[in-house]
Amino acid sequence: MLDKRKISAIVLVSSFFSGAAALIYEVVWSRAMSLVLGSTVYALSTMLATFMAGLAVGGFIGGRLGDRMDPVKALGLCEIGIGIGGVASIPIIHALPELYARMYQSLHLNPPLFFTVQIALCALVMFWPALLMGATFPLVIKSITGELSQVGRKIGIAYGTNTLGAVFGSLSAGFFLIPTLGIKGATFLPAGINVILGIVLLVTARSGLRPAIGIFTLFLAVAAWSAETKERTTLVNFYTANRGSSWAKLPLVQSPFLESARVFYEENASGSVRAFRMPDGNLMLQVGGKIEGTLQPDIANTRLLAYLPLAAHTEPHKALIIGLGAGITVAAAKGHVPVTDLVEINPAVVRAVAHHGKKGLLDGVNVIVNDARQFLTMNDVRYDVISSEPSYPTESEVASLFSSEYYRIAAGRLNEGECTASGFPITCLPMMM
């Protein structure tokens, strides 16, 4: 029989890995759902609020549960439940595009109801696992505390251990697991961690191997079902749900064409990038769920982002293009200026266009993988023309590229009397002093 100190050590180690798994889930779910719900402030707030609500409710339940049964056994059951909920979230995520589109078409004219149902969609994915995650902390405290005089120190140790695990999990998810394993693999890994922790805790609580084996078998069954479900190749999401009157009439619904037309897919710390070869030969990109300007109506606009400022200049020699997209703007610019620099924040976009875009598109272009604002701030390079094409001003990550401060920074990198152009709307601005 294990003594109290050894049980406490096992529980604290499990708390570290449980915290890591929890934040891996949160990062993965946020990435996966942002491809459907968008990455606006409202969408991200909805996801975070749903996750935190689950933790809060779970905290209340876990506290009561710890007073009514062996807290180590209850902790083990919660860990296994989290793992099962984690793998079960995969088919739900795959079903989100159709669920979201149908919800949008019915409810988007009623914003309060629309956002309420959007919370419900988030809850389908994460509320049950988040509730069990919230229940684990009071169970950890109950498992490791003995005398009343130790409560403060024990809670501090447990909280610090769990938080360190959360830091490790969030960093590993964004910078390693998602780029390496993809969304599905990065979900299965923490689920496996949870189930292993659960079995270890059940054995520690002397619950016997039979219930552990039975629960593990259940986990394997759910995991096998989730592994068999395939993601539907669909471009329907927050950005495109308004393009048809019904799910069946949406022009970008999943189809055999989209499945066979996909020529590139990569997940990295900067976002998800997919590339499709369209029937007209153009390359269409989906970056973070957003379609980047190669649908036929968009091509003229993206060319104008280069042509308008170039036409306003008597003799341009050096141009800076901010944002590669599918390469239409940079292709239009480099044909009319001797020197063309390109700043693109997502390296996967550069790889997609270089390998699958128009042959020779980036030949002779100085490609800089960096944040545009940082590049303009940190480098004293001057241009005759700066053309900026950050898409969708609704996105929080590009909002800074639509500010007066950004234009002042860009103007400071222009040769005197030149001008800039920016998308949405296309504008030619005089140099601001």
Side-chain angles (χ1 to χ4, degrees):
M1 180 177 177
L2 297 175
D3 60 28
K4 182 70 174 179
R5 179 175 296 181
K6 291 180 180 178
I7 292 175
S8 295
I10 292 172
V11 169
L12 287 174
V13 170
S14 73
S15 180
F16 174 88
F17 285 103
S18 180
L23 265 292
I24 292 172
Y25 285 128
E26 186 182 5
V27 173
V28 171
W29 287 334
S30 296
R31 169 69 70 85
M33 288 191 291
S34 69
L35 299 179
V36 178
L37 305 181
S39 54
T40 65
V41 171
Y42 303 109
L44 294 175
S45 298
T46 301
M47 296 175 209
L48 183 59
T50 305
F51 187 80
M52 297 304 292
L55 295 180
V57 174
F60 287 112
I61 295 174
R64 300 175 72 87
L65 194 62
D67 292 334
R68 297 184 178 184
M69 64 182 294
D70 181 352
V72 178
K73 180 179 179 179
L75 183 59
L77 293 174
C78 284
E79 291 291 347
I80 293 173
I82 294 167
I84 293 173
V87 294
S89 70
I90 294 172
I92 299 173
I93 289 172
H94 290 171
L96 278 183
E98 181 171 355
L99 291 174
Y100 180 83
R102 293 183 184 279
M103 178 199 75
Y104 180 92
Q105 289 153 358
S106 302
L107 305 174
H108 73 280
L109 295 179
N110 186 338
L113 185 57
F114 174 74
F115 285 116
T116 300
V117 178
Q118 187 166 278
I119 291 174
L121 290 181
C122 293
L124 282 176
V125 175
M126 64 173 68
F127 187 80
W128 167 254
L131 183 148
L132 294 176
M133 293 173 197
T136 61
F137 190 72
L139 292 173
V140 168
I141 300 302
K142 182 73 173 179
S143 301
I144 66 173
T145 54
E147 299 177 7
L148 186 61
S149 61
Q150 298 177 332
V151 170
R153 182 170 63 88
K154 294 287 188 177
I155 289 177
I157 292 172
Y159 186 79
T161 302
N162 186 258
T163 304
L164 282 176
V167 171
F168 175 78
S170 59
L171 290 175
S172 62
F175 290 96
F176 177 71
L177 295 180
I178 292 176
T180 304
L181 304 177
I183 295 295
K184 183 178 284 189
T187 304
F188 270 95
L189 179 64
I193 292 173
N194 288 129
V195 171
I196 292 171
L197 292 175
I199 292 174
V200 170
L201 289 165
L202 288 178
V203 173
T204 301
R206 297 192 303 167
S207 298
L209 288 177
R210 184 173 295 178
I213 293 172
I215 295 173
F216 184 64
T217 302
L218 174 62
F219 168 76
L220 289 179
V222 176
W225 168 62
S226 298
E228 285 298 314
T229 62
K230 294 184 179 179
E231 180 184 10
R232 301 179 68 188
T233 304
T234 174
L235 305 182
V236 177
N237 51 32
F238 165 78
Y239 308 99
T240 59
N242 63 340
R243 299 190 180 188
S245 57
S246 66
W247 167 255
K249 293 182 180 180
L250 284 167
L252 297 172
V253 169
Q254 179 268 350
S255 68
F257 162 72
L258 282 179
E259 195 67 48
S260 61
R262 193 173 75 182
V263 295
F264 182 89
Y265 172 58
E266 182 176 320
E267 295 275 358
N268 61 33
S270 299
S272 171
V273 177
R274 303 179 188 188
F276 300 86
R277 179 73 60 199
M278 303 306 289
D280 58 7
N282 287 315
L283 191 69
M284 181 176 71
L285 294 184
Q286 187 187 37
V287 182
K290 305 179 294 294
I291 296 173
E292 300 291 350
T294 49
L295 292 175
Q296 197 61 42
D298 297 327
I299 292 178
N301 292 336
T302 50
R303 285 176 177 158
L304 283 172
L305 286 170
Y307 290 152
L308 285 181
L310 290 172
H313 195 289
T314 56
E315 194 176 355
H317 292 282
K318 191 171 185 179
L320 173 66
I321 307 299
I322 295 174
L324 175 57
I328 305 300
T329 303
V330 72
K334 80 169 195 173
H336 295 84
V337 289
V339 179
T340 303
D341 288 354
L342 167 73
V343 177
E344 168 60 51
I345 194 170
N346 194 328
V349 173
V350 177
R351 285 190 284 271
V353 173
H355 295 150
H356 302 285
K358 185 178 178 181
K359 188 176 180 180
L361 176 67
L362 298 179
D363 291 351
V365 176
N366 180 29
V367 179
I368 302 136
V369 178
N370 199 348
D371 174 73
R373 190 184 183 95
Q374 183 181 34
F375 173 77
L376 290 171
T377 302
M378 302 301 294
N379 294 274
D380 191 18
V381 183
R382 295 198 170 263
Y383 297 92
D384 297 313
V385 167
I386 297 176
S387 180
S388 179
E389 192 193 357
S391 62
Y392 297 94
T394 56
E395 297 303 298
S396 56
E397 61 264 33
V398 299
S400 63
L401 300 186
F402 291 89
S403 64
S404 58
E405 182 185 6
Y406 165 72
Y407 284 115
R408 283 193 293 269
I409 293 171
R413 296 294 174 263
L414 288 168
N415 292 319
E416 187 173 354
E418 313 310 344
C419 60
T420 62
S422 177
F424 305 101
I426 300 169
T427 314
C428 190
L429 300 175
M431 180 177 179
M432 293 173 282
M433 301 301 292

